[in-house]
Amino acid sequence: MFSARMNAKIVGTGIAAALALSASAAMAGVVVKSSGPSAATYPVGKKVSDTATITLKAGDSITVLTAKGTRVMKGAGTFKVGDQPKATRGRFAALTRKRAARRVRTGAVRGGPAGAMEAKATNPNLWYVDVSQSGKRCVFDLNTVRLWRPVKEGIATYRVIDTASESSIDVTFDDGESVAALDPARLTVVADTEYTFAGPEGTDVATVTFTKLADDWTGAEDLANKLVEAGCMTQVDQMADRLGG
């Protein structure tokens, strides 16, 4: 009987310790933006505990996504990461909404002059692919790729070129529209293949590769970690700008 009770106590203690470790791990934030003298100490992707205290120098600016919100710290000074984070749950939900990425018409094949330039807009959805930025892009579905242009005035056609097979399609943005879909029936997007977006003037605007996120995420800090691990740094910057502002 005594042995059974001891074993039960040991098992219970082990479970409690595991739960404590799990809770501790869940309280780890991730650096999504870093500049200044301490940027090498706190690079993008570095995990920091919510209870951690960090000392910054003059000119430093560090943005950390935590389970409770976004913490922007600017030096010089000493800061506790988990103190008074800005609640960003609503912004995060809007930024990562999959329905918005799915509910877009397929780009038509037609030409037209680009319209007059307007103030550069901000990409409103993490899954929209900015045609003006090169780099690796993480998507939740390779058959649901949406292109986004910073300027929505005028009709503009972009040629999307698969550099491996040299196949291509034209995707047209109508006047006043900033989002258009790639039609998977006309161009199959393949992970780790390079694609070039050629703008209305025939110039190479951007070169992009795609990767599919293997799992879903539990929050902003978890998604940021997955993006960093996949090398989708453009989207990490996007999260930092939208959630840290």
Side-chain angles (χ1 to χ4, degrees), residues 182-201:
L182 280 181
D183 186 350
R186 296 174 53 232
L187 182 69
T188 301
V189 175
V190 180
D192 300 321
T193 294
E194 199 171 77
Y195 295 86
T196 298
F197 303 143
E201 302 301 323

Side-chain angles (χ1 to χ4, degrees), residues 83-140:
D83 277 358
Q84 299 179 331
K86 179 187 293 184
T88 53
R89 185 172 297 177
R91 285 189 186 182
F92 176 69
L95 181 65
T96 58
R97 188 175 293 125
K98 293 180 181 179
R99 180 188 294 182
R102 288 191 176 102
R103 195 175 52 201
V104 179
R105 70 173 183 82
T106 301
V109 182
R110 58 183 169 183
M117 293 294 289
E118 62 179 17
K120 188 171 182 178
T122 301
N123 189 343
N125 191 285
L126 200 67
W127 314 119
Y128 290 165
V129 181
D130 188 340
V131 295
S132 69
Q133 289 191 322
S134 296
K136 195 170 187 179
R137 298 290 303 202
C138 289
V139 294
F140 60 85

Side-chain angles (χ1 to χ4, degrees), residues 43-72:
V44 172
K46 182 179 178 66
K47 296 179 182 179
V48 290
S49 169
D50 283 9
T51 59
T53 298
I54 64 176
T55 299
L56 301 180
K57 301 174 182 178
D60 280 333
S61 180
I62 310 292
T63 301
V64 179
L65 297 186
T66 74
K68 295 182 179 179
T70 305
R71 183 79 160 100
V72 180

